[in-house]
Every structure is written in structure tokens, then in C-alpha cells.
Amino acid sequence: MGERLIMKHSIRTRIIASQVVIILIIIAMIFFVMNMVIMRNIDKLEANEIDENVEMLSSLMESDLKDLVSQTHDYSGWDDTYFYIQNRNEDYITNNFYSDVLCNIDINLLAIVDDRGNLLYGDSIDLTSGEKLPFPQELISILSETNIFSNKNPDDHVEGILMLPEGPVEICAAPVLTSQNTGEVSAHFIFGRYLNALWLQKLSEQSKLKLYSERLDQIGAERSLYYRSITDADPIKIVKPSNKTIEATFIIRDVFQKPAMGITIE
């Protein structure tokens, strides 16, 4: 009789233990599935947020370039500029391009170039201190590769990024015309803005995002390999350095449509 009770108790214990194991397995499976669903939703939310941030940054940079283009055309399509090309009156330079003027409109570089690519006037300043900087000599030679200086079409201009030894610079080169947008095109007016730490700080303040940038023509093999994974089909590279940090990197191109800079959002 005692042996039967022991056997019944042993069987009951095994059944209960089996049921507990099954319940635990079911709970674990439910938790796993729920965790997968939650993680997918989190990843989707993160991806949407990253897309929105990249789109916002792209819009801010496009707006910045449009402002530069507009500023350039304000001076290129102006009687005073047109007549300067004819008579080289130095009062035009003295009265219009002292440091405060360029600082107020966030312009680092100014150049006036004739149709043979000769520099008629060039200036470069530091927007923080207002002090003059050496004029980047390679600006004209690199810009000449676009054939803009020999272009006589009054409606054509060049806008975008040039990679100079001094740093990346967004530029606009527009034909010099009268205030009525008439006259023979014999020179081009150029404004430029360095895409440096000051530019990135302003972009970060506008977007309220933590940003990093690097020029892609001065990176090592490891970083170069990193950027090769960013393609037209997959334009944003997302990495998670830690559980609390996500980095999204995309590429901006120069006037020749070559990869110029990498922008990273943290």
C-alpha cells in the first residue's frame, strides 16, 4: 500500500513538473515573440526618425546653398560689378567688400574671374575673427574644370562643393551682367563659404542634432572601406556603437558628383 502511494506521488510530481516546464516554455516563447515584435517596432521607429533627420539636414543644406546662390546673383547681376569689369575702379572693391560686409552675409571667399580664368580680384576672410586669410589659389584651377569661365551663356552658373586644400567650400560662380541681366559675359563673380567647424556648429544648432563631418579625400583605408558600403541604393549607414547610441552617416557630393564629405548624426 505504501509503495503504491509513493508511486502515485512520484507520478503526480512528474506530471506537475512537466506542466511547470511546459508553462515556462510557453512563457519564454511568448516573451521571445513579444520581444521580437517590440524590437522590430523600435527599429522601425529609429529608422523613421533617422530618415526624417537626414531629410531635415539635407533640406537645411540645400537652403544654405540656395541662399549662397541668391547672394552671388545679387552681386553678379549688378551694374556696379559689370562696370568694374570694364574700368577696374578700385572704389567698387573698397566700398563693397570690406570684412564686416562679408562676415554679415557669412561669406569666406570672394573672387572675380575673367573669361580666360584670370583672377581679377580675390579675397578670403575668417568669419569668426574677421581677419583676412590667404586666398586659396587652387579655387580657380579646380573651378576651371567645370568650363564655367569660357561659358558665355548668361543663364548658366555653377553651384556646389569644391574640395580645396584649405577645406571643403560651397561655392556659386555666376556670370557678371548688368542690373537688367543684360550685357556680354566676360567675367564671373564667385562667392564661397567654408564647410568647416563653424558651419557644422550652425547646422547642428538649426537641426538640434549632434553632428560630425569628415572630408572623404583625406581618410584612411579603414574609413574608406566604411564609406564604400554607402551606395545610391543604400544611402544611409546605421551603426550602434552602444545600446544608448545610434549613428547614421550619409554622403554629400561635390560639383563633379564625386563623394566629398561624410556627415554623421549621433
Side-chain angles (χ1 to χ4, degrees), residues 13-37:
T13 300
R14 290 178 183 177
I15 292 173
I16 293 172
S18 299
Q19 290 174 338
V20 169
V21 170
I22 291 171
I23 291 171
L24 290 175
I25 291 173
I26 292 172
I27 291 173
M29 290 177 66
I30 293 172
F31 178 80
F32 177 77
V33 171
M34 289 180 64
N35 187 59
M36 288 291 292
V37 171

mmCIF file of all heavy atoms in Angstrom, residues 13-37:
data_model
loop_
_atom_site.group_PDB
_atom_site.id
_atom_site.type_symbol
_atom_site.label_atom_id
_atom_site.label_comp_id
_atom_site.label_asym_id
_atom_site.label_seq_id
_atom_site.Cartn_x
_atom_site.Cartn_y
_atom_site.Cartn_z
ATOM 1 N N THR A 13 4.081 14.136 -9.094
ATOM 2 C CA THR A 13 5.181 15.123 -9.064
ATOM 3 C C THR A 13 5.758 15.328 -10.463
ATOM 4 O O THR A 13 6.031 16.455 -10.882
ATOM 5 C CB THR A 13 6.288 14.645 -8.117
ATOM 6 O OG1 THR A 13 5.740 14.504 -6.806
ATOM 7 C CG2 THR A 13 7.436 15.653 -8.085
ATOM 8 N N ARG A 14 5.917 14.208 -11.189
ATOM 9 C CA ARG A 14 6.458 14.310 -12.552
ATOM 10 C C ARG A 14 5.503 15.078 -13.466
ATOM 11 O O ARG A 14 5.933 15.879 -14.307
ATOM 12 C CB ARG A 14 6.696 12.917 -13.119
ATOM 13 C CG ARG A 14 7.856 12.190 -12.441
ATOM 14 C CD ARG A 14 8.002 10.797 -13.013
ATOM 15 N NE ARG A 14 9.046 10.053 -12.334
ATOM 16 C CZ ARG A 14 9.352 8.777 -12.588
ATOM 17 N NH1 ARG A 14 8.659 8.109 -13.527
ATOM 18 N NH2 ARG A 14 10.321 8.192 -11.923
ATOM 19 N N ILE A 15 4.174 14.789 -13.293
ATOM 20 C CA ILE A 15 3.180 15.488 -14.131
ATOM 21 C C ILE A 15 3.217 16.974 -13.850
ATOM 22 O O ILE A 15 3.224 17.801 -14.768
ATOM 23 C CB ILE A 15 1.777 14.915 -13.872
ATOM 24 C CG1 ILE A 15 1.684 13.475 -14.397
ATOM 25 C CG2 ILE A 15 0.702 15.796 -14.537
ATOM 26 C CD1 ILE A 15 0.390 12.765 -14.026
ATOM 27 N N ILE A 16 3.255 17.324 -12.552
ATOM 28 C CA ILE A 16 3.292 18.750 -12.169
ATOM 29 C C ILE A 16 4.558 19.403 -12.700
ATOM 30 O O ILE A 16 4.535 20.509 -13.237
ATOM 31 C CB ILE A 16 3.193 18.900 -10.644
ATOM 32 C CG1 ILE A 16 1.805 18.452 -10.165
ATOM 33 C CG2 ILE A 16 3.476 20.351 -10.230
ATOM 34 C CD1 ILE A 16 1.672 18.392 -8.659
ATOM 35 N N ALA A 17 5.676 18.672 -12.556
ATOM 36 C CA ALA A 17 6.952 19.210 -13.033
ATOM 37 C C ALA A 17 6.913 19.422 -14.543
ATOM 38 O O ALA A 17 7.403 20.440 -15.054
ATOM 39 C CB ALA A 17 8.086 18.262 -12.652
ATOM 40 N N SER A 18 6.302 18.447 -15.258
ATOM 41 C CA SER A 18 6.199 18.565 -16.716
ATOM 42 C C SER A 18 5.334 19.762 -17.100
ATOM 43 O O SER A 18 5.640 20.514 -18.025
ATOM 44 C CB SER A 18 5.609 17.288 -17.318
ATOM 45 O OG SER A 18 6.441 16.180 -17.044
ATOM 46 N N GLN A 19 4.224 19.917 -16.362
ATOM 47 C CA GLN A 19 3.330 21.041 -16.637
ATOM 48 C C GLN A 19 4.035 22.382 -16.392
ATOM 49 O O GLN A 19 3.868 23.339 -17.155
ATOM 50 C CB GLN A 19 2.071 20.933 -15.774
ATOM 51 C CG GLN A 19 1.152 19.788 -16.181
ATOM 52 C CD GLN A 19 -0.002 19.612 -15.230
ATOM 53 O OE1 GLN A 19 0.055 20.037 -14.066
ATOM 54 N NE2 GLN A 19 -1.073 18.956 -15.709
ATOM 55 N N VAL A 20 4.806 22.417 -15.288
ATOM 56 C CA VAL A 20 5.562 23.648 -14.971
ATOM 57 C C VAL A 20 6.557 23.952 -16.083
ATOM 58 O O VAL A 20 6.692 25.098 -16.527
ATOM 59 C CB VAL A 20 6.275 23.514 -13.617
ATOM 60 C CG1 VAL A 20 7.266 24.663 -13.421
ATOM 61 C CG2 VAL A 20 5.269 23.477 -12.484
ATOM 62 N N VAL A 21 7.250 22.926 -16.559
ATOM 63 C CA VAL A 21 8.227 23.114 -17.641
ATOM 64 C C VAL A 21 7.535 23.617 -18.898
ATOM 65 O O VAL A 21 8.019 24.543 -19.567
ATOM 66 C CB VAL A 21 8.968 21.797 -17.924
ATOM 67 C CG1 VAL A 21 9.798 21.921 -19.210
ATOM 68 C CG2 VAL A 21 9.878 21.443 -16.747
ATOM 69 N N ILE A 22 6.368 22.996 -19.226
ATOM 70 C CA ILE A 22 5.625 23.417 -20.426
ATOM 71 C C ILE A 22 5.188 24.870 -20.303
ATOM 72 O O ILE A 22 5.307 25.659 -21.243
ATOM 73 C CB ILE A 22 4.409 22.493 -20.645
ATOM 74 C CG1 ILE A 22 4.887 21.086 -21.047
ATOM 75 C CG2 ILE A 22 3.475 23.067 -21.724
ATOM 76 C CD1 ILE A 22 3.772 20.051 -21.075
ATOM 77 N N ILE A 23 4.667 25.229 -19.112
ATOM 78 C CA ILE A 23 4.230 26.611 -18.873
ATOM 79 C C ILE A 23 5.398 27.572 -19.015
ATOM 80 O O ILE A 23 5.282 28.642 -19.635
ATOM 81 C CB ILE A 23 3.574 26.730 -17.475
ATOM 82 C CG1 ILE A 23 2.241 25.982 -17.453
ATOM 83 C CG2 ILE A 23 3.367 28.203 -17.103
ATOM 84 C CD1 ILE A 23 1.634 25.864 -16.066
ATOM 85 N N LEU A 24 6.548 27.188 -18.447
ATOM 86 C CA LEU A 24 7.730 28.044 -18.541
ATOM 87 C C LEU A 24 8.182 28.204 -19.986
ATOM 88 O O LEU A 24 8.588 29.294 -20.403
ATOM 89 C CB LEU A 24 8.868 27.466 -17.691
ATOM 90 C CG LEU A 24 8.680 27.548 -16.172
ATOM 91 C CD1 LEU A 24 9.809 26.823 -15.457
ATOM 92 C CD2 LEU A 24 8.601 28.999 -15.713
ATOM 93 N N ILE A 25 8.101 27.097 -20.743
ATOM 94 C CA ILE A 25 8.475 27.167 -22.161
ATOM 95 C C ILE A 25 7.531 28.093 -22.918
ATOM 96 O O ILE A 25 7.955 28.911 -23.735
ATOM 97 C CB ILE A 25 8.472 25.749 -22.795
ATOM 98 C CG1 ILE A 25 9.633 24.932 -22.224
ATOM 99 C CG2 ILE A 25 8.590 25.848 -24.320
ATOM 100 C CD1 ILE A 25 9.609 23.471 -22.658
ATOM 101 N N ILE A 26 6.225 27.950 -22.630
ATOM 102 C CA ILE A 26 5.232 28.804 -23.289
ATOM 103 C C ILE A 26 5.477 30.270 -22.935
ATOM 104 O O ILE A 26 5.432 31.157 -23.805
ATOM 105 C CB ILE A 26 3.807 28.382 -22.891
ATOM 106 C CG1 ILE A 26 3.484 27.004 -23.480
ATOM 107 C CG2 ILE A 26 2.775 29.419 -23.355
ATOM 108 C CD1 ILE A 26 2.174 26.416 -22.993
ATOM 109 N N ILE A 27 5.733 30.536 -21.643
ATOM 110 C CA ILE A 27 6.006 31.917 -21.208
ATOM 111 C C ILE A 27 7.251 32.461 -21.912
ATOM 112 O O ILE A 27 7.277 33.604 -22.374
ATOM 113 C CB ILE A 27 6.186 31.975 -19.675
ATOM 114 C CG1 ILE A 27 4.855 31.697 -18.982
ATOM 115 C CG2 ILE A 27 6.740 33.330 -19.246
ATOM 116 C CD1 ILE A 27 4.964 31.558 -17.473
ATOM 117 N N ALA A 28 8.291 31.602 -21.992
ATOM 118 C CA ALA A 28 9.528 32.019 -22.651
ATOM 119 C C ALA A 28 9.286 32.328 -24.131
ATOM 120 O O ALA A 28 9.824 33.306 -24.672
ATOM 121 C CB ALA A 28 10.593 30.933 -22.504
ATOM 122 N N MET A 29 8.460 31.487 -24.788
ATOM 123 C CA MET A 29 8.158 31.705 -26.208
ATOM 124 C C MET A 29 7.364 32.993 -26.408
ATOM 125 O O MET A 29 7.629 33.772 -27.327
ATOM 126 C CB MET A 29 7.378 30.513 -26.763
ATOM 127 C CG MET A 29 8.215 29.243 -26.888
ATOM 128 S SD MET A 29 7.238 27.834 -27.460
ATOM 129 C CE MET A 29 6.839 28.388 -29.133
ATOM 130 N N ILE A 30 6.386 33.214 -25.494
ATOM 131 C CA ILE A 30 5.590 34.448 -25.571
ATOM 132 C C ILE A 30 6.495 35.665 -25.382
ATOM 133 O O ILE A 30 6.394 36.658 -26.112
ATOM 134 C CB ILE A 30 4.450 34.432 -24.528
ATOM 135 C CG1 ILE A 30 3.425 33.350 -24.886
ATOM 136 C CG2 ILE A 30 3.792 35.806 -24.424
ATOM 137 C CD1 ILE A 30 2.371 33.134 -23.809
ATOM 138 N N PHE A 31 7.373 35.577 -24.392
ATOM 139 C CA PHE A 31 8.303 36.683 -24.120
ATOM 140 C C PHE A 31 9.221 36.928 -25.318
ATOM 141 O O PHE A 31 9.463 38.071 -25.698
ATOM 142 C CB PHE A 31 9.149 36.352 -22.884
ATOM 143 C CG PHE A 31 10.169 37.404 -22.566
ATOM 144 C CD1 PHE A 31 9.816 38.575 -21.895
ATOM 145 C CD2 PHE A 31 11.496 37.223 -22.943
ATOM 146 C CE1 PHE A 31 10.769 39.540 -21.612
ATOM 147 C CE2 PHE A 31 12.447 38.194 -22.665
ATOM 148 C CZ PHE A 31 12.079 39.356 -21.991
ATOM 149 N N PHE A 32 9.698 35.837 -25.927
ATOM 150 C CA PHE A 32 10.590 35.953 -27.082
ATOM 151 C C PHE A 32 9.882 36.636 -28.259
ATOM 152 O O PHE A 32 10.425 37.544 -28.882
ATOM 153 C CB PHE A 32 11.079 34.566 -27.493
ATOM 154 C CG PHE A 32 11.942 34.563 -28.724
ATOM 155 C CD1 PHE A 32 13.268 34.971 -28.672
ATOM 156 C CD2 PHE A 32 11.415 34.171 -29.958
ATOM 157 C CE1 PHE A 32 14.059 34.976 -29.809
ATOM 158 C CE2 PHE A 32 12.196 34.184 -31.095
ATOM 159 C CZ PHE A 32 13.519 34.580 -31.023
ATOM 160 N N VAL A 33 8.638 36.165 -28.517
ATOM 161 C CA VAL A 33 7.872 36.744 -29.626
ATOM 162 C C VAL A 33 7.566 38.213 -29.365
ATOM 163 O O VAL A 33 7.710 39.066 -30.249
ATOM 164 C CB VAL A 33 6.565 35.952 -29.853
ATOM 165 C CG1 VAL A 33 5.672 36.676 -30.850
ATOM 166 C CG2 VAL A 33 6.882 34.546 -30.342
ATOM 167 N N MET A 34 7.136 38.521 -28.138
ATOM 168 C CA MET A 34 6.837 39.908 -27.786
ATOM 169 C C MET A 34 8.077 40.783 -27.896
ATOM 170 O O MET A 34 8.019 41.916 -28.383
ATOM 171 C CB MET A 34 6.267 39.986 -26.365
ATOM 172 C CG MET A 34 4.860 39.426 -26.221
ATOM 173 S SD MET A 34 4.245 39.541 -24.518
ATOM 174 C CE MET A 34 4.201 41.320 -24.294
ATOM 175 N N ASN A 35 9.198 40.230 -27.444
ATOM 176 C CA ASN A 35 10.454 40.986 -27.522
ATOM 177 C C ASN A 35 10.838 41.256 -28.972
ATOM 178 O O ASN A 35 11.289 42.361 -29.313
ATOM 179 C CB ASN A 35 11.566 40.206 -26.823
ATOM 180 C CG ASN A 35 12.851 41.009 -26.713
ATOM 181 O OD1 ASN A 35 12.871 42.078 -26.125
ATOM 182 N ND2 ASN A 35 13.925 40.482 -27.296
ATOM 183 N N MET A 36 10.635 40.249 -29.839
ATOM 184 C CA MET A 36 10.936 40.424 -31.260
ATOM 185 C C MET A 36 10.052 41.511 -31.868
ATOM 186 O O MET A 36 10.519 42.365 -32.624
ATOM 187 C CB MET A 36 10.731 39.104 -32.007
ATOM 188 C CG MET A 36 11.800 38.051 -31.709
ATOM 189 S SD MET A 36 13.407 38.511 -32.386
ATOM 190 C CE MET A 36 13.059 38.378 -34.135
ATOM 191 N N VAL A 37 8.756 41.473 -31.525
ATOM 192 C CA VAL A 37 7.821 42.474 -32.050
ATOM 193 C C VAL A 37 8.199 43.864 -31.564
ATOM 194 O O VAL A 37 8.219 44.829 -32.339
ATOM 195 C CB VAL A 37 6.376 42.134 -31.624
ATOM 196 C CG1 VAL A 37 5.431 43.282 -31.975
ATOM 197 C CG2 VAL A 37 5.919 40.852 -32.291
#
